[in-house]
Amino acid sequence: MLIRTLGTVSLLTFALTGQAREMTLLETVTTQSVARVDLSPDGQYTAVLKYIPRVPYQDDDGSGFTELALIDRQGNETLYLNREQSFSGVTFGPNSEYLYFTAKWDEDKYSELYRIPVDGGGVQSFYEFEGNIGAYNFSRDGKALIFTSQGKPNEDKKTLAEKGFKAEVYEEELDYTHLYHVDLSSDEKNAEQVSGPGQHILSAQFHPDNQHILARVAPTPLVDDNYMSSQYHLLTTTGEIKQSFETAGKLGQADFSPDGRYLALIAAANYNDPSAGTLMVWDSQTEEMRNVLPDYQGSVRDFSWRTDQELVWLGHRGTESEVQALTLKFLENRVLIEPGEAIFTSLDGEPGVSDISLQGNRPEHPNEAFRLNDSQLERLTVSNPWLDEITLPRQETVQYEARDGLQLEGVLVYPTDYQQGQSYPTIMVIHGGPEAHYSNGWLDRYGSPVKHAAAKGYALFFPNYRGSTGRGVEFSMLSQNDYAGKEFDDIVDAKQHLVNEGIADPDRVGITGGSYGGYASAWGATKQTEHFAASVMFVGISDNISKFGTTDIAKEMHAVHARSYPWEKWQWYLERSPIYYAEQARTPILIMHGKEDTRVHPSQSMELYRYLKTHGNVPVRLVLYPGEGHGNRKMAAQLDYSQRLMRWMDSFLVEQAETKPPHELPHLENMNSSD
């Protein structure tokens, strides 16, 4: 069944300008977007952090740049920090007079705290520390500051390294993040450490009474403890724990109501819930924690307090997003933004201010800044005006039925020149997690160049198989204790649905994805090889036994994925591993991996490559990216990935070749031609 279309072919643009064209891979990885929005406490400004990717072949290697702009209520935009200035942690001060940020400015040895007057003026140094300042927060009266830092770097360690003593003690030489408090009303303004031994601070903010601090604390800096073992505590400014808030499993943001009575937080429903997507509220009068949206069949992504009794929350339900206001007194919701307006990914509000700033995307554009004023939604930014030239493919939510009767959905992108009754080469793009989901918005990434591929005649399908988020806790737990079971059958069932609808050519379907999506891509090339004519696996899993011993999230894997340990059912883990079926593989597979990946170790890709190459039954190639981890962060590596992905799909889905394409890419030629 096909549901509401959000994107259509841009015939109007073509008619008016004659410039409708396909989107290039270079444009895919260099598309600009809004990374963050922040509403000022007085509601007069929206601070917008803009992400500007580096341009491959022109810029030196590295991650992207950022710019900071302020947009007033009349829509006037003023640039405050440009791409040439490196900064982070932008936020308004308590009275909206200043914008604060952290940076290594001029000759700074460490990252310090700076500010800019909102009404104009230069950058001012605000607070220095013998170490890098991380996250920070001001008391509401502006008289105190808290910040996180790992303290002064260990110079002795550097001295020993210069002499060759570089041994690393695995998971024992840990750098804890500490919490510091500064009394800004004193003359000395000394930073006093608040956190104690065995406390790794993940976040911290002042209670509305200005005398207490809400801190999220983990027992160690290990990723697993961040995911599964952190807790929120209410601390005094000297570090004494006054209240601990009992939760189990993963945690998201938390914030007190303006009067301090309620604490709202996004948390897992239980220890085995794979994601933090449940809105909980603790009442200081009853000291009870309750789920205030007990029947919500979606995932809460963000919230902000509007009054002492009302908070605004953002949820993802199915392939859409929605924004509602919840009144705690009666637990009643009213809709502020209906599903289908855009895919909103974050929001920011302020107590006593009716307006809300949001970040959101649509099929025709990436994340932009929005403002909701009463019932009027206004888009504040246009980061890529050239997108008006691009011919947009048709994109819509599709529902289908799994073989066991479970109703599933995903997002289908048609070929730009789609003709009903004609079947097309199709790329199945599988999300990772599996605690994630696809929304019907901007899906163009370096691993899924939607508009480029659609213009070249591909259909693309983004399935939300069982275990995905966005459909309630129960649905997100359906894949647990069933690695590569019904969840991956759902992907094959999606393919068959597209074939039955006459969209996908059954002999020209490819599969790709990263992390858990890479696992699915490897499974599709081995155990389910008869269904896929090409596979591109990225940072994926090939051996579930060795994966457990080499990942940085073993605790999370057990709690929310496997629900068992390898030694409890060794053979089962082996038989749910793509390497076990390497001999029967007939799907050409391109394997790509970041060399510094700690989540899924590069050895996972090396194992599958060696098994397949030794058997010699299928074209296989392994590409490693130095300096990259669990996903490519730098633009050159992203472009290289996109080009290899599309060349592999072109070779085996369009040309239906029997041998793999050349491994060389024309980077040098492209660089010379761009000069």
Side-chain angles (χ1 to χ4, degrees), residues 182-263:
V182 181
D183 182 356
L184 297 176
S185 63
S186 70
D187 293 334
E188 294 80 9
K189 296 182 175 59
N190 293 324
E192 303 292 339
Q193 184 172 325
V194 174
S195 55
Q199 292 184 328
H200 176 69
I201 306 299
L202 297 167
S203 68
Q205 63 196 79
F206 273 101
H207 185 278
D209 66 8
N210 302 316
Q211 302 302 312
H212 294 86
I213 300 166
L214 177 67
R216 183 173 164 222
V217 183
T220 76
L222 297 175
V223 174
D224 237 357
D225 282 336
N226 177 351
Y227 281 179
M228 303 306 301
S229 302
S230 69
Q231 290 285 299
Y232 277 105
H233 300 295
L234 189 65
L235 311 175
T236 66
T237 56
T238 58
E240 180 186 355
I241 297 178
K242 300 296 292 184
Q243 178 77 48
S244 294
F245 303 98
E246 185 175 347
T247 55
K250 296 183 178 181
L251 285 173
Q253 74 173 104
D255 192 18
F256 275 99
S257 58
D259 62 0
R261 173 178 173 177
Y262 299 105
L263 172 68

XYZ file of all heavy atoms in Angstrom, residues 182-263:
633
model
N 32.120 27.243 39.716
C 32.770 28.550 39.867
C 31.757 29.540 40.423
O 30.662 29.720 39.855
C 33.308 29.078 38.518
C 34.003 30.426 38.717
C 34.241 28.072 37.876
N 32.096 30.189 41.518
C 31.283 31.279 42.071
C 31.697 32.565 41.361
O 32.748 33.142 41.651
C 31.507 31.389 43.577
C 30.651 32.480 44.213
O 29.941 33.194 43.476
O 30.710 32.626 45.448
N 30.876 33.005 40.421
C 31.223 34.178 39.619
C 31.106 35.478 40.400
O 31.615 36.524 39.955
C 30.328 34.243 38.377
C 30.473 33.083 37.398
C 29.454 33.217 36.270
C 31.886 33.034 36.815
N 30.453 35.441 41.548
C 30.305 36.660 42.348
C 31.525 36.924 43.231
O 31.657 38.014 43.791
C 29.051 36.566 43.224
O 29.163 35.498 44.156
N 32.407 35.935 43.347
C 33.605 36.121 44.167
C 34.708 36.775 43.349
O 34.706 36.726 42.116
C 34.088 34.786 44.719
O 34.625 33.992 43.677
N 35.661 37.360 44.027
C 36.785 37.998 43.332
C 37.720 36.967 42.717
O 38.261 37.174 41.634
C 37.567 38.889 44.314
C 36.758 40.080 44.791
O 35.853 40.508 44.047
O 37.022 40.556 45.912
N 37.912 35.840 43.393
C 38.870 34.847 42.921
C 38.346 34.054 41.721
O 39.100 33.704 40.825
C 39.235 33.880 44.049
C 39.992 34.521 45.195
C 39.071 35.256 46.153
O 37.821 35.096 45.999
O 39.559 35.983 47.030
N 37.045 33.730 41.733
C 36.424 32.929 40.662
C 37.183 31.614 40.438
O 37.448 31.195 39.308
C 36.340 33.721 39.357
C 35.438 34.949 39.431
C 35.367 35.663 38.093
C 34.374 36.810 38.134
N 34.694 37.830 39.144
N 37.538 30.955 41.527
C 38.263 29.688 41.434
C 37.313 28.549 41.057
O 36.157 28.507 41.485
C 38.943 29.356 42.769
C 40.047 30.338 43.098
O 40.749 30.809 42.207
N 40.211 30.645 44.378
N 37.827 27.630 40.281
C 37.060 26.447 39.898
C 37.281 25.360 40.940
O 38.416 24.922 41.160
C 37.478 25.964 38.520
N 36.193 24.917 41.566
C 36.261 23.874 42.575
C 35.666 22.586 42.001
O 34.550 22.589 41.475
C 35.484 24.277 43.826
C 35.950 25.582 44.459
C 37.347 25.478 45.059
O 37.773 24.322 45.340
O 37.982 26.524 45.262
N 36.423 21.480 42.118
C 35.923 20.223 41.583
C 34.757 19.718 42.418
O 34.837 19.649 43.642
C 37.027 19.167 41.533
C 36.583 17.853 40.892
C 37.729 16.884 40.677
O 38.852 17.284 40.385
N 37.430 15.597 40.812
N 33.664 19.359 41.728
C 32.453 18.887 42.381
C 32.373 17.368 42.368
O 31.980 16.738 43.354
C 31.205 19.494 41.697
C 29.921 18.902 42.265
C 31.210 21.010 41.838
N 32.718 16.764 41.255
C 32.599 15.309 41.117
C 33.661 14.602 41.934
O 34.758 15.107 42.160
C 32.713 14.906 39.653
O 33.913 15.410 39.088
N 33.310 13.390 42.377
C 34.220 12.619 43.198
C 34.859 11.476 42.440
O 34.629 11.287 41.232
N 35.663 10.662 43.113
C 36.313 9.508 42.481
C 35.271 8.528 41.933
O 34.217 8.317 42.536
C 37.110 8.877 43.635
C 37.254 9.970 44.644
C 36.027 10.814 44.531
N 35.570 7.953 40.796
C 34.659 6.984 40.201
C 33.426 7.600 39.586
O 32.445 6.898 39.310
N 33.442 8.913 39.364
C 32.329 9.593 38.715
C 32.808 10.204 37.399
O 33.672 11.087 37.390
C 31.755 10.703 39.609
C 31.047 10.190 40.847
C 30.424 11.325 41.646
O 30.932 12.444 41.677
N 29.309 11.038 42.316
N 32.269 9.702 36.311
C 32.543 10.269 34.989
C 31.322 11.079 34.589
O 30.214 10.545 34.470
C 32.810 9.157 33.971
C 33.016 9.652 32.575
N 34.130 10.368 32.200
C 32.243 9.533 31.456
C 34.046 10.662 30.918
N 32.910 10.172 30.447
N 31.489 12.379 34.386
C 30.371 13.287 34.144
C 30.056 13.343 32.645
O 30.900 13.698 31.828
C 30.681 14.697 34.669
C 31.091 14.636 36.150
C 29.470 15.602 34.474
C 30.034 14.076 37.068
N 28.814 12.989 32.329
C 28.355 13.019 30.938
C 27.617 14.307 30.607
O 27.648 14.768 29.459
C 27.457 11.813 30.664
C 28.138 10.451 30.802
C 27.105 9.336 30.829
C 29.119 10.226 29.666
N 26.927 14.883 31.576
C 26.251 16.168 31.383
C 25.968 16.772 32.748
O 25.947 16.061 33.762
C 24.936 15.998 30.603
O 23.976 15.283 31.369
N 25.740 18.084 32.771
C 25.442 18.757 34.042
C 24.743 20.075 33.768
O 25.059 20.771 32.794
C 26.724 18.998 34.844
N 23.789 20.414 34.627
C 23.082 21.685 34.512
C 22.536 22.081 35.874
O 22.293 21.237 36.744
C 21.943 21.588 33.503
C 20.851 20.606 33.894
C 19.957 20.229 32.738
O 20.305 19.406 31.902
N 18.787 20.837 32.691
N 22.347 23.384 36.073
C 21.849 23.881 37.352
C 20.371 23.564 37.539
O 19.576 23.584 36.589
C 22.045 25.393 37.446
C 23.394 25.800 37.966
C 24.393 26.215 37.101
C 23.670 25.763 39.330
C 25.632 26.587 37.579
C 24.905 26.138 39.820
C 25.894 26.546 38.937
N 20.010 23.276 38.778
C 18.611 23.213 39.194
C 18.081 24.655 39.206
O 18.849 25.607 39.392
C 18.544 22.593 40.598
C 17.169 22.366 41.108
N 16.417 23.366 41.692
C 16.393 21.245 41.147
C 15.236 22.874 42.062
N 15.201 21.580 41.740
N 16.771 24.869 39.024
C 16.236 26.239 39.062
C 16.508 26.997 40.347
O 16.471 28.235 40.358
C 14.727 26.016 38.865
C 14.632 24.764 38.074
C 15.752 23.896 38.585
N 16.812 26.290 41.467
C 17.111 27.006 42.712
C 18.518 27.568 42.754
O 18.901 28.221 43.732
C 16.857 26.106 43.926
C 17.819 24.914 44.010
O 18.785 24.843 43.221
O 17.597 24.035 44.875
N 19.317 27.283 41.711
C 20.698 27.782 41.594
C 21.655 27.188 42.617
O 22.846 27.526 42.616
C 20.761 29.321 41.718
C 19.923 30.024 40.677
O 19.942 29.648 39.508
N 19.175 31.041 41.088
N 21.158 26.294 43.481
C 21.984 25.739 44.550
C 22.311 24.264 44.341
O 23.123 23.704 45.083
C 21.260 25.893 45.903
C 20.923 27.328 46.257
C 22.153 28.216 46.313
O 23.163 27.857 46.925
N 22.074 29.369 45.671
N 21.690 23.660 43.381
C 21.909 22.244 43.120
C 22.215 22.024 41.643
O 21.918 22.876 40.797
C 20.694 21.410 43.544
C 20.447 21.400 45.009
N 19.712 22.385 45.647
C 20.838 20.535 45.986
C 19.668 22.129 46.941
N 20.339 21.017 47.181
N 22.773 20.858 41.356
C 23.209 20.544 39.995
C 22.653 19.172 39.607
O 22.801 18.196 40.363
C 24.749 20.513 39.902
C 25.338 21.873 40.287
C 25.191 20.110 38.494
C 26.840 21.827 40.539
N 22.024 19.117 38.460
C 21.574 17.841 37.904
C 22.687 17.307 37.012
O 23.037 17.926 36.005
C 20.289 18.018 37.092
C 19.752 16.760 36.410
C 19.279 15.745 37.446
C 18.630 17.109 35.438
N 23.246 16.158 37.372
C 24.380 15.601 36.634
C 24.075 14.179 36.204
O 23.528 13.383 36.984
C 25.648 15.633 37.480
N 24.433 13.868 34.977
C 24.370 12.481 34.513
C 25.753 11.890 34.699
O 26.741 12.405 34.162
C 23.923 12.412 33.060
C 23.769 10.992 32.541
C 23.169 10.970 31.148
N 23.371 9.664 30.532
C 23.726 9.461 29.280
N 23.948 10.487 28.490
N 23.890 8.241 28.813
N 25.820 10.792 35.458
C 27.097 10.249 35.901
C 27.208 8.782 35.504
O 26.262 8.002 35.664
C 27.242 10.379 37.434
C 28.602 9.873 37.892
C 27.026 11.828 37.869
N 28.368 8.407 34.979
C 28.674 7.008 34.677
C 29.845 6.563 35.543
O 30.669 7.388 35.960
C 29.016 6.837 33.199
N 29.961 5.268 35.830
C 31.056 4.800 36.694
C 32.427 4.879 36.046
O 33.435 4.944 36.750
C 30.674 3.355 37.007
C 29.747 2.948 35.914
C 29.011 4.190 35.517
N 32.482 4.841 34.706
C 33.756 4.955 33.981
C 33.503 5.702 32.677
O 32.353 5.878 32.255
C 34.354 3.566 33.638
O 33.625 3.001 32.534
C 34.333 2.631 34.828
N 34.551 6.108 31.970
C 34.387 6.747 30.662
C 34.126 5.759 29.518
O 34.006 6.183 28.364
C 35.739 7.445 30.448
C 36.401 7.487 31.766
C 35.927 6.276 32.483
N 34.052 4.462 29.806
C 33.826 3.486 28.753
C 32.460 3.702 28.104
O 31.477 4.018 28.772
C 33.922 2.071 29.310
C 35.289 1.662 29.882
C 35.211 0.273 30.518
C 36.355 1.695 28.790
N 32.399 3.498 26.785
C 31.166 3.716 26.035
C 30.030 2.863 26.584
O 28.884 3.317 26.701
C 31.396 3.418 24.541
C 30.091 3.503 23.765
C 32.422 4.371 23.957
N 30.338 1.622 26.925
C 29.320 0.725 27.454
C 28.666 1.278 28.720
O 27.455 1.138 28.933
C 29.935 -0.644 27.744
C 29.228 -1.762 26.995
O 28.232 -1.484 26.303
O 29.685 -2.909 27.093
N 29.460 1.891 29.595
C 28.900 2.458 30.820
C 28.075 3.712 30.529
O 27.092 3.995 31.226
C 30.023 2.781 31.810
C 30.531 1.537 32.513
O 29.781 0.551 32.593
O 31.697 1.532 32.964
N 28.473 4.453 29.511
C 27.667 5.585 29.055
C 26.295 5.085 28.627
O 25.260 5.613 29.049
C 28.381 6.282 27.895
C 27.588 7.432 27.299
O 26.425 7.641 27.620
N 28.209 8.171 26.408
N 26.266 4.037 27.814
C 25.014 3.506 27.290
C 24.134 2.873 28.363
O 22.931 3.114 28.423
C 25.299 2.458 26.209
C 25.664 3.011 24.857
C 25.970 2.146 23.811
C 25.709 4.367 24.607
C 26.304 2.627 22.552
C 26.045 4.860 23.367
C 26.343 3.994 22.331
O 26.674 4.473 21.097
N 24.735 2.029 29.202
C 23.934 1.125 30.027
C 24.003 1.364 31.538
O 23.205 0.793 32.278
C 24.349 -0.329 29.747
C 24.244 -0.742 28.281
S 22.609 -0.447 27.540
C 21.559 -1.433 28.597
N 24.938 2.174 32.014
C 25.143 2.245 33.470
C 25.176 3.665 34.024
O 25.683 3.888 35.126
C 26.460 1.532 33.844
O 26.435 0.188 33.426
N 24.655 4.634 33.291
C 24.661 5.999 33.808
C 23.392 6.274 34.608
O 22.378 5.593 34.454
C 24.797 7.010 32.662
O 23.623 7.036 31.870
N 23.452 7.268 35.475
C 22.315 7.678 36.300
C 22.321 9.197 36.444
O 23.375 9.839 36.398
C 22.393 7.047 37.696
C 22.140 5.545 37.727
C 20.674 5.209 37.558
O 19.825 5.583 38.348
N 20.375 4.471 36.489
N 21.123 9.749 36.644
C 21.014 11.169 36.981
C 21.028 11.322 38.494
O 20.337 10.588 39.217
C 19.727 11.774 36.419
C 19.851 12.198 34.966
C 19.261 11.448 33.956
C 20.566 13.342 34.617
C 19.368 11.834 32.630
C 20.682 13.735 33.291
C 20.085 12.970 32.299
O 20.208 13.359 30.993
N 21.843 12.281 38.976
C 21.908 12.601 40.400
C 21.706 14.101 40.585
O 22.114 14.903 39.734
C 23.270 12.226 40.997
C 23.604 10.772 40.895
N 22.890 9.796 41.547
C 24.590 10.123 40.214
C 23.408 8.609 41.280
N 24.444 8.785 40.473
N 21.106 14.465 41.683
C 21.020 15.866 42.070
C 22.099 16.114 43.113
O 22.089 15.507 44.191
C 19.634 16.184 42.638
C 19.349 17.670 42.880
C 19.339 18.444 41.571
C 18.010 17.852 43.611
N 23.056 16.983 42.768
C 24.216 17.239 43.614
C 24.141 18.630 44.228
O 23.548 19.550 43.657
C 25.510 17.151 42.790
C 25.720 15.933 41.892
C 27.005 16.110 41.090
C 25.765 14.659 42.715
N 24.763 18.786 45.384
C 25.022 20.124 45.901
C 26.219 20.692 45.144
O 26.905 19.981 44.415
C 25.337 20.091 47.398
O 26.588 19.399 47.592
C 24.235 19.383 48.181
N 26.478 21.953 45.325
C 27.611 22.575 44.636
C 28.947 22.126 45.211
O 29.999 22.495 44.694
C 27.505 24.114 44.706
O 27.405 24.517 46.075
C 26.295 24.603 43.926
N 28.909 21.319 46.271
C 30.141 20.734 46.803
C 30.255 19.247 46.460
O 31.209 18.590 46.870
C 30.209 20.904 48.338
O 29.060 20.289 48.933
C 30.257 22.383 48.704
N 29.251 18.719 45.737
C 29.355 17.348 45.248
C 28.574 16.311 46.018
O 28.579 15.131 45.659
N 27.875 16.702 47.083
C 27.083 15.744 47.847
C 25.847 15.326 47.047
O 25.162 16.167 46.449
C 26.641 16.367 49.173
C 25.804 15.437 50.034
C 25.262 16.134 51.265
O 25.624 17.314 51.483
O 24.468 15.510 52.006
N 25.562 14.029 46.999
C 24.386 13.528 46.288
C 23.159 13.698 47.183
O 23.050 13.085 48.238
C 24.551 12.046 45.894
C 25.720 11.877 44.921
C 23.260 11.519 45.262
C 25.982 10.436 44.514
N 22.210 14.542 46.761
C 20.986 14.786 47.515
C 19.840 13.903 47.049
O 18.936 13.590 47.816
C 20.573 16.257 47.387
C 21.604 17.237 47.905
C 21.828 17.086 49.398
C 20.618 17.518 50.195
N 20.850 17.456 51.659
N 19.869 13.512 45.767
C 18.780 12.702 45.222
C 19.314 11.928 44.022
O 20.035 12.473 43.186
C 17.621 13.600 44.775
C 16.453 12.876 44.156
C 15.574 12.199 45.194
O 15.195 12.804 46.202
N 15.250 10.938 44.978
N 18.975 10.650 43.944
C 19.279 9.845 42.765
C 17.961 9.452 42.115
O 16.991 9.116 42.812
C 20.074 8.591 43.148
O 21.354 8.941 43.641
N 17.921 9.486 40.800
C 16.695 9.212 40.065
C 16.813 7.835 39.433
O 17.630 7.609 38.537
C 16.459 10.297 39.026
C 16.389 11.673 39.629
C 17.501 12.507 39.614
C 15.236 12.107 40.258
C 17.453 13.765 40.187
C 15.173 13.364 40.847
C 16.283 14.198 40.813
N 16.000 6.927 39.925
C 16.128 5.524 39.553
C 15.591 5.283 38.149
O 14.407 5.473 37.869
C 15.384 4.645 40.560
C 15.581 3.148 40.314
C 14.940 2.296 41.383
O 14.555 2.854 42.431
O 14.825 1.075 41.162
N 16.462 4.856 37.278
C 16.106 4.459 35.923
C 16.927 3.223 35.586
O 17.891 2.897 36.276
C 16.403 5.566 34.894
O 17.781 5.954 35.004
C 15.512 6.782 35.113
N 16.554 2.552 34.506
C 17.282 1.355 34.087
C 17.583 1.452 32.604
O 16.704 1.759 31.798
C 16.464 0.099 34.368
N 18.836 1.227 32.247
C 19.194 1.215 30.836
C 19.567 2.580 30.297
O 20.072 3.443 31.014
N 19.275 2.785 29.034
C 19.747 3.973 28.327
C 19.020 5.237 28.785
O 17.857 5.203 29.175
C 19.569 3.775 26.831
C 20.419 2.638 26.275
C 20.290 2.510 24.765
C 21.198 1.408 24.252
N 21.130 1.259 22.779
N 19.761 6.351 28.716
C 19.222 7.639 29.127
C 19.456 8.691 28.054
O 20.471 8.664 27.345
C 19.880 8.110 30.430
C 19.446 7.413 31.721
C 20.322 7.881 32.874
C 17.981 7.700 32.021
N 18.512 9.621 27.951
C 18.654 10.786 27.092
C 18.704 12.038 27.941
O 19.183 12.021 29.072
N 18.167 13.134 27.395
C 18.230 14.416 28.083
C 17.314 14.439 29.297
O 16.394 13.624 29.443
C 17.836 15.537 27.122
C 16.336 15.564 26.833
C 15.907 16.753 26.016
O 15.656 16.619 24.831
N 15.798 17.910 26.636
N 17.554 15.411 30.193
C 16.718 15.635 31.370
C 16.715 17.117 31.692
O 17.692 17.823 31.405
C 17.230 14.830 32.565
N 15.601 17.590 32.265
C 15.517 19.012 32.598
C 14.405 19.220 33.619
O 13.350 18.586 33.544
C 15.236 19.840 31.340
C 15.438 21.329 31.573
O 16.098 21.694 32.558
O 14.923 22.125 30.766
N 14.656 20.106 34.584
C 13.651 20.437 35.587
C 12.653 21.452 35.038
O 12.988 22.300 34.204
C 14.312 21.022 36.833
C 14.803 19.979 37.801
C 16.131 19.599 37.821
C 13.922 19.380 38.695
C 16.584 18.641 38.713
C 14.364 18.423 39.598
C 15.696 18.045 39.602
N 11.420 21.376 35.549
C 10.424 22.401 35.247
C 10.900 23.724 35.838
O 11.732 23.748 36.759
C 9.071 22.011 35.819
O 9.152 21.821 37.221
N 10.407 24.862 35.346
C 10.896 26.164 35.833
C 10.817 26.339 37.342
O 11.688 26.980 37.946
C 9.981 27.157 35.103
C 9.580 26.449 33.849
C 9.458 25.008 34.236
N 9.777 25.747 37.983
C 9.660 25.889 39.435
C 10.408 24.801 40.197
O 10.430 24.804 41.432
C 8.188 25.899 39.856
C 7.453 24.602 39.514
O 8.091 23.688 38.947
O 6.249 24.507 39.809
N 11.015 23.861 39.477
C 11.810 22.823 40.106
C 11.023 21.647 40.643
O 11.614 20.707 41.188
N 9.704 21.651 40.478
C 8.910 20.554 41.048
C 9.108 19.251 40.271
O 9.243 18.177 40.865
C 7.427 20.916 41.063
C 6.549 19.739 41.479
C 5.074 20.083 41.538
N 4.277 18.876 41.773
C 2.954 18.860 41.932
N 2.261 20.005 41.889
N 2.311 17.715 42.131
N 9.115 19.348 38.948
C 9.171 18.158 38.109
C 10.537 18.028 37.428
O 11.158 19.029 37.058
C 8.110 18.214 37.016
C 6.689 18.266 37.514
C 5.969 19.459 37.465
C 6.058 17.136 38.016
C 4.652 19.522 37.898
C 4.741 17.184 38.459
C 4.044 18.383 38.399
O 2.747 18.436 38.835
N 10.936 16.788 37.251
C 12.088 16.489 36.409
C 11.590 15.619 35.257
O 11.071 14.516 35.476
C 13.172 15.732 37.183
C 14.342 15.213 36.325
C 15.170 16.376 35.784
C 15.219 14.240 37.106
